[in-house]
Amino acid sequence: MSSISNQEAATPRRRRRAVAELKAELRGVRVQLAVLNHQVGTQAELKDVDLDCLDLISSRGPLSPSMLAKHAGLHPATMTGILDRLERGGWIVRDRDPSDRRAVVIRVLPDRNAEMFRLYSGMNSLMDTICADYDDAEIAVITDFLRRVQAAGRTASEELGN
């Protein structure tokens, strides 16, 4: 007779299945958000990588081109073309860094940023509806989980880049 009961053996199996399902759902989220971002990019006449960089500038900016390249996981030389397109489209402006007049920082132009908010308004409304089903403690757990997933993604990206 085995020293591990069927109940005890089922718990690790259930856990593995639950974690596998969670990972599958995260892949599904990634795909759906990629589809949404592609649709938003199409409406805004932006390439997917341009939209990613615009979002990084909006959320973390103003940024130097080299810092943006680092956050985006792109080669700094690639940034020139992306920034040229974003500037031509009226999405960003390159300013002299007030702390170092030789350096450049990139910032988002507010008028075009409002257009981006409009394009994402449907998703934002749906997210508000979803979040209404969770209490503050549950939202805190979900937020913590997503922060940790982002950190894991950064770590995995860095390891692949080396």
Side-chain angles (χ1 to χ4, degrees), residues 8-23:
E8 290 170 325
T11 301
R13 273 196 302 267
R14 276 197 302 269
R15 173 76 178 191
R16 281 193 304 275
R17 272 189 253 137
V19 170
E21 185 178 350
L22 176 65
K23 290 176 181 178

Side-chain angles (χ1 to χ4, degrees), residues 53 56-57 62-84 92-97 102-107:
C53 289
L56 285 167
I57 299 164
L63 293 171
S64 68
S66 60
M67 188 56 67
L68 176 59
K70 181 179 183 218
H71 286 306
L74 298 170
H75 191 278
T78 305
M79 273 301 116
T80 302
I82 293 169
L83 294 175
D84 287 347
I92 59 135
V93 65
R94 297 175 200 183
D95 291 325
R96 290 284 167 207
D97 186 337
R102 295 167 294 165
V104 172
V105 293
I106 302 127
R107 65 179 173 82

